């Protein structure tokens, strides 16, 4: 019997062969040792899980009330994830990278044991938050009044 | 002048506030609650940072301008309110 066009590969228990939903197939496949080895839908790899978590977090921030855009910038200053258009992302990434470096050196000049956690700039039109971490930057632009 | 003093006193009285510095447009501290060397150090470094932050905002949008800056670090938080001729720096311990 095919479920959503896919023939289930587990055979040791006939009870599972009558499930109507594809999601049930996956959860049952993960619970069954034989099917787990054969199924291709298993995604419990640690790197994939972490990426999924990161994507989910970005999505949650993006859909937050008042958020105009989110940009993730890598160590080379290239935006790797952005909810804005490419030219704006590249402009923000470049400018904010320099500013963050300067803010970090300001904090360290005052106290060498200290380090920057977050930079928030409020302007007339919106607010920009920058969180540096491991040479990466998370930039969030949000509206003022929300 | 009395109003300014009252405001400064009110801010200083807030829980966690470690120091307040008022700096003029040239980066010279004109009022402070910290010792001289810390004041001069903060004033100089933060003046440069504010100038850079302001030009960053203007580069993104020439019609826009910086109204407030918060630098949060592991040990404290520095808040800067820039104005036309002066800027106000407040250093606080956010966990207090």
């Amino acid at each position: 019997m095919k479920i959503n066009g896919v023939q289930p590969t587990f055979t040791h228990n006939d009870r599972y062969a009558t499930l109507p939903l594809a999601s049930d197939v996956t959860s049952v496949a993960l619970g069954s040792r034989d099917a787990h080895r054969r199924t291709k839908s298993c995604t419990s790899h640690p790197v994939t899980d972490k990426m999924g978590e990161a994507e989910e977090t970005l999505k949650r921030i993006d859909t937050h009330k008042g958020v105009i855009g989110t940009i993730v910038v890598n160590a080379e200053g290239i935006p790797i994830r952005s909810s804005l258009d490419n030219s704006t992302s590249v402009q923000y990434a470049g400018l904010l990278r320099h500013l963050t470096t300067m803010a970090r050196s300001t904090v360290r000049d005052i106290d060498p044991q200290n380090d920057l956690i977050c930079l928030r700039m409020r302007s007339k039109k919106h607010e920009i938050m920058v969180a540096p971490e491991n040479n990466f930057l998370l930039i969030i632009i949000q509206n003022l009044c929300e | 002048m009395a109003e300014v003093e009252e405001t400064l006193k009110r801010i200083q009285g807030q829980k966690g506030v470690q120091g307040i510095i008022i700096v003029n447009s040239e980066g010279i501290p004109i009022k402070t609650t910290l010792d001289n060397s810390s004041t001069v150090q903060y004033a100089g470094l933060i003046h440069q940072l504010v100038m850079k932050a302001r030009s960053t905002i203007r580069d993104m949008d020439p019609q826009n301008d910086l109204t407030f800056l918060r630098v949060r670090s592991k040990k404290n938080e520095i808040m800067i309110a820039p104005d036309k001729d002066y800027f106000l720096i407040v250093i606080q311990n956010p966990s207090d």
Side-chain angles (χ1 to χ4, degrees):
Chain A
M1 180 197 148
K2 281 189 180 185
I3 296 169
N4 282 1
V6 174
Q7 178 69 44
T9 54
F10 39 85
T11 54
H12 71 288
N13 192 335
D14 287 337
R15 186 161 54 105
Y16 295 132
T18 58
L19 288 169
L21 301 167
S23 54
D24 290 333
V25 172
T26 313
S27 57
V28 165
L30 287 172
S32 151
R33 270 184 309 165
D34 287 337
H36 184 81
R37 276 202 296 274
R38 276 175 261 167
T39 185
K40 288 171 192 166
S41 60
C42 171
T43 56
S44 62
H45 189 272
V47 173
T48 321
D49 283 347
K50 281 240 171 344
M51 269 179 71
E53 209 181 296
E55 291 285 356
E56 223 177 271
T57 306
L58 277 175
K59 204 173 160 188
R60 181 174 55 83
I61 296 171
D62 234 340
T63 50
H64 199 274
K65 199 174 163 195
V67 172
I68 302 168
T70 55
I71 308 169
V72 178
V73 184
N74 71 1
E76 283 141 37
I78 299 163
I80 52 172
R81 278 281 185 285
S82 177
S83 59
L84 302 171
D85 58 278
N86 197 44
S87 60
T88 310
S89 304
V90 168
Q91 188 194 24
Y92 272 71
L95 290 168
L96 290 169
R97 222 178 134 70
H98 285 127
L99 183 65
T100 309
T101 307
M102 195 169 179
R104 184 180 255 142
S105 59
T106 298
V107 168
R108 287 202 170 140
D109 284 346
I110 293 170
D111 178 359
Q113 257 81 57
N114 207 358
D115 200 7
L116 181 70
I117 292 178
C118 182
L119 185 63
R120 273 175 105 135
M121 277 175 290
R122 210 172 156 96
S123 65
K124 286 188 207 169
K125 297 184 182 181
H126 45 242
E127 185 168 13
I128 302 170
M129 287 167 284
V130 185
E133 183 75 38
N134 288 341
N135 278 331
F136 280 71
L137 282 184
L138 172 64
I139 301 166
I140 301 187
I141 305 120
Q142 71 175 7
N143 272 326
L144 289 176
C145 304
E146 308 294 340
Chain B
M1 197 61 196
E3 206 183 308
V4 170
E5 292 289 349
E6 217 177 278
T7 306
L8 289 180
K9 209 170 155 186
R10 183 174 54 81
I11 297 172
Q12 183 67 35
Q14 291 281 347
K15 206 169 157 197
V17 170
Q18 292 170 348
I20 309 172
I21 308 167
I22 299 180
V23 183
N24 70 6
S25 51
E26 284 147 35
I28 298 163
I30 54 171
K31 201 147 182 77
T32 181
T33 62
L34 296 172
D35 59 277
N36 199 41
S37 57
S38 302
T39 301
V40 168
Q41 191 188 29
Y42 271 97
L45 291 167
I46 291 170
H47 181 249
Q48 282 177 50
L49 183 64
V50 170
M51 293 298 124
K52 177 81 183 162
R54 196 175 245 156
S55 65
T56 299
I57 298 280
R58 288 209 173 132
D59 285 346
M60 290 180 201
D61 178 358
Q63 257 81 59
N64 206 357
D65 198 10
L66 182 71
T67 56
F68 200 75
L69 182 63
R70 279 174 105 123
V71 182
R72 196 185 168 117
S73 63
K74 285 191 214 167
K75 296 186 182 182
N76 53 30
E77 186 170 18
I78 305 167
M79 290 170 287
I80 306 124
D83 192 62
K84 199 160 46 84
D85 303 313
Y86 307 96
F87 49 93
L88 174 68
I89 302 166
V90 177
I91 303 123
Q92 73 170 1
N93 188 341
S95 52
D96 279 353

